[in-house]
Amino acid sequence: MEIGVRILLAFLVHQVAQVGGQQDGRHEGCVPGFQVKQYQVAYSGPFQKGQPLIQVEFDDCAGNEDVVFEVSDPSFQVDGDLNLVPQRDVPYSGPVMFIHGLSAHADDMAQVDITDLPLKSPHTLRDILGLGQTLPYRSKRSLLVPPIIVTENQRASFPKVIGRVISSEKSGKHIFRLTGPGADQDPKGLFIIDTATGEVSVSRSLDREDFDSYELQVSTTDFAGNLVEGPASLLITVIDQNDNRPIFKETRYTGEVLEGSPTGTTVMTMTAFDADDPATDNAALRYNIVRQSPDKPSPNMFYIDAERGDIVTVISPTLLDRETLPTTTYELEIVAKDMAGSEVGLTGTATATITITDKNDHAPEFTHPLFEAHVHEGLTGVVVNLTVDDRDDPATGAWRAVYSIINGDPTQSFEIQTNPDNNEGMLSVVKPLDYEATALHKLFIKVENEDPLVPDVGYGPSSTATVEVTVLDFNEGPVFFPDPLTVTRMENIPVGSFVASLNATDPDILQIQSIRYTILRDPAGWLSVNPVRGTVNTSASLDRESPYVHDNKYTAVFIATDNGSPPATGTGTLVIHLEDYNDNAPYVVPSVARVCEDAHDMNVAIVGGRDKDLPPNAAPFKIELGKQPGLDKMWKVSRVNSTHSQIMLLHSLKKANYQLPLLITDSGVPPLSNNTEVKVQVCVCKKNWMHCSSAHSHSASLLVLLATLLLALLCL
């Protein structure tokens, strides 16, 4: 919209100028201003002072008297012959500049494009600045604010004029003002404007890596501060210089490649960063390998893509053999150079360490086809260490060995494990060997790797070996059979009765040896053993109720000793299961009962029978009053169940202690009876308090009580 307005205003200005020219007698059809609006200058090197570049065509249709030309780049001017000439040596120019022609009869603008500049950018400056392909005419009372280009890192002295803002107002009647970041905002004071002429200057050296452009606002005011023109945007673009070296994020990079990899295999990628403008060669990096260590078998084992930084293998797969290379680690010195790698480019350096990793291309091989070992019978543990060679990388699955017994161990008496420190196979006996059964064991062992071999490599004959294990004879102790020996006997059998016959044999069947028996442990001292025949007899009565008997079983341990050199012993256990005999009389519990003298309930207590014997020599029990005469006149015993009975009083008694005779009989054959007494305490009871006599019981005065009772009955 703004461009359209400017074009419309420019058109109206030209129409007014044409009308004025006709009135002033100017040539009819003459259009005041530049007759050619756009020019081109080819850049072939620095512009020399005073050397004309082009001649512009300008006609104000009134003789070109008092025409003033202003160039957007103050390093250039238009002379009296309308030539565009440098006012000083100019080594570098922006890609575009503008010429403003002004007289009393004309006000016009032309554009000059500088071509073939060394600056390589994907966009033209006009594209970067957002300008159209042609510069529209500006209207009266408007600011002409051409974009400004300034190179970073300029040297003193400062300030330096870098451009100019053109006003349609006559000089001396207004004041130029510059605002925005870089002027009156941070970073303050970088750019200043001449309030009278509109010349824009930079006050110090710029760094494009801090800010690559600045967008400011330009306006003019009268001396009273009233806005006359603007504000208009002023874009200042900072042109890059090659002032930053390429930098690698790390000084050392690590990568690895599998041995035997095809030529062209990518190992790793090196990446450097350059802070300069990425749209220029200042940040166009090229990579190169300047050193390889070691340089064997070839100094050019690897190649780096100059633009991408990819490191790839150049060496053939056959030579890339970890087992034949002088080392498994190679160090490359990588240089990154900007300016697309030209001689004037800046460089950065990093180191790439490449490790040749192993693949399982070598099968493990036994160092010997036959291994021998000796072991005493009856012992366990490691008997021999099997050694292998493997050229693959140690501490990897391609090197670690896995051993297995493929034949010769039907009883699984052996086991083989890998020593993680040296990769040896540790062959162990896990079940004791018997010399008399097998004196020589021949085992066939296979070794493999944890990782599978590569397809073109297999396990050969050297990956198997034979192990001969010789068993050494040892005087073994006699062995009892069965162990334990269990027999059943009745308790209380006569002393000297036969209990059992021990049976111990000597495993050393190839030797003729005799065996003698002794007692090792007989807790109750009930047994004796014949030292030659091994017969066991009783030396004391067997008692099932003894504390040495548990769960009706009595346990004794015996020793059998051979006459070998040195003598060997073995132990055997005899378990005697004791059957019960009715040899324990029953008894009554509890032995004490209490009752209140004024109690209405005449039940004294419930008593039960106990017997150390087992059924049927125990319950059911018969509990009854003793045989003393007259007891049934005062007491009564009633059966509750097979083990308990109820004691009752038939008459009240005074406070005292009484011994009640009872007779208890078990159910054995023949039965056993026991005369026992229950102490009955007749007490004085009041609420929760019971007072009983501590005097002796009246067991002997029951007849007196009976006589007293009879006398009382007669008195009635």
Side-chain angles (χ1 to χ4, degrees), residues 486-490 551-554 575-579:
T486 302
V487 297
T488 300
R489 295 290 182 268
M490 179 70 73
D551 195 22
N552 302 322
K553 297 175 183 177
Y554 180 74
V575 178
I576 305 174
H577 187 279
L578 294 175
E579 294 181 335

Side-chain angles (χ1 to χ4, degrees), residues 639-658:
R639 181 171 178 166
V640 176
N641 55 33
S642 64
T643 57
H644 291 76
S645 295
Q646 174 77 56
I647 299 176
M648 300 177 60
L649 272 172
L650 299 178
H651 299 281
S652 298
L653 294 177
K654 294 297 182 181
K655 173 186 175 185
N657 294 333
Y658 303 90

Side-chain angles (χ1 to χ4, degrees), residues 360 452-458:
N360 197 10
L453 294 172
V454 296
D456 55 341
V457 177

Side-chain angles (χ1 to χ4, degrees), residues 287-313:
Y287 299 92
N288 186 32
I289 300 174
V290 297
R291 182 180 60 86
Q292 172 190 302
S293 177
D295 58 359
K296 305 294 183 182
S298 167
N300 299 310
M301 294 175 60
F302 303 94
Y303 165 79
I304 187 168
D305 186 283
E307 295 187 7
R308 294 194 302 268
D310 296 336
I311 298 178
V312 299
T313 59

Side-chain angles (χ1 to χ4, degrees), residues 190-380:
L190 277 180
F191 304 101
I192 53 178
I193 191 169
D194 189 302
T195 58
T197 65
E199 286 185 338
V200 179
S201 302
V202 61
S203 62
R204 58 181 181 269
S205 178
L206 303 179
D207 188 350
R208 191 205 66 87
E209 286 68 47
D210 291 337
F211 298 94
D212 60 1
S213 65
Y214 299 84
E215 188 170 351
L216 306 172
Q217 299 294 318
V218 182
S219 61
T220 60
T221 64
D222 58 21
F223 293 103
N226 298 314
L227 183 65
V228 176
E229 296 171 303
S233 294
L234 170 60
L235 181 63
I236 300 178
T237 302
V238 183
I239 299 300
D240 187 44
Q241 283 190 335
N242 190 21
D243 58 345
N244 289 277
R245 292 181 178 276
I247 297 176
F248 288 92
K249 292 183 179 180
E250 301 175 13
T251 57
R252 283 190 172 273
Y253 292 78
T254 58
E256 56 185 36
V257 61
L258 187 65
E259 64 171 332
S261 295
T263 301
T265 299
T266 300
V267 181
M268 57 194 299
T269 299
M270 306 291 290
T271 303
F273 171 76
D274 196 311
D276 289 320
D277 188 354
T280 68
D281 281 349
N282 295 339
L285 304 184
R286 297 295 183 268
Y287 299 92
N288 186 32
I289 300 174
V290 297
R291 182 180 60 86
Q292 172 190 302
S293 177
D295 58 359
K296 305 294 183 182
S298 167
N300 299 310
M301 294 175 60
F302 303 94
Y303 165 79
I304 187 168
D305 186 283
E307 295 187 7
R308 294 194 302 268
D310 296 336
I311 298 178
V312 299
T313 59
V314 178
I315 189 172
S316 69
T318 304
L319 294 178
L320 191 61
D321 185 355
R322 196 195 66 86
E323 288 75 34
T324 60
L325 290 173
T327 180
T328 59
T329 302
Y330 286 84
E331 191 172 274
L332 307 180
E333 183 177 340
I334 309 298
V335 171
K337 180 182 286 189
D338 60 19
M339 296 301 292
S342 68
E343 294 183 358
V344 297
L346 303 178
T347 61
T349 304
T351 299
T353 300
I354 300 176
T355 300
I356 313 301
T357 58
D358 188 38
K359 64 180 180 181
N360 197 10
D361 55 349
H362 294 87
E365 297 179 348
F366 283 101
T367 56
H368 305 285
L370 175 65
F371 294 85
E372 295 180 331
H374 296 79
V375 59
H376 286 282
E377 63 174 333
L379 299 182
T380 60

Side-chain angles (χ1 to χ4, degrees), residues 71 184 199 219 267 284 287 319 506 545 582-583 588 630 634 704:
V71 183
D184 59 347
E199 286 185 338
S219 61
V267 181
Y287 299 92
L319 294 178
D506 195 331
E545 291 77 31
N582 195 18
D583 57 347
V588 174
M634 184 66 65
V704 177

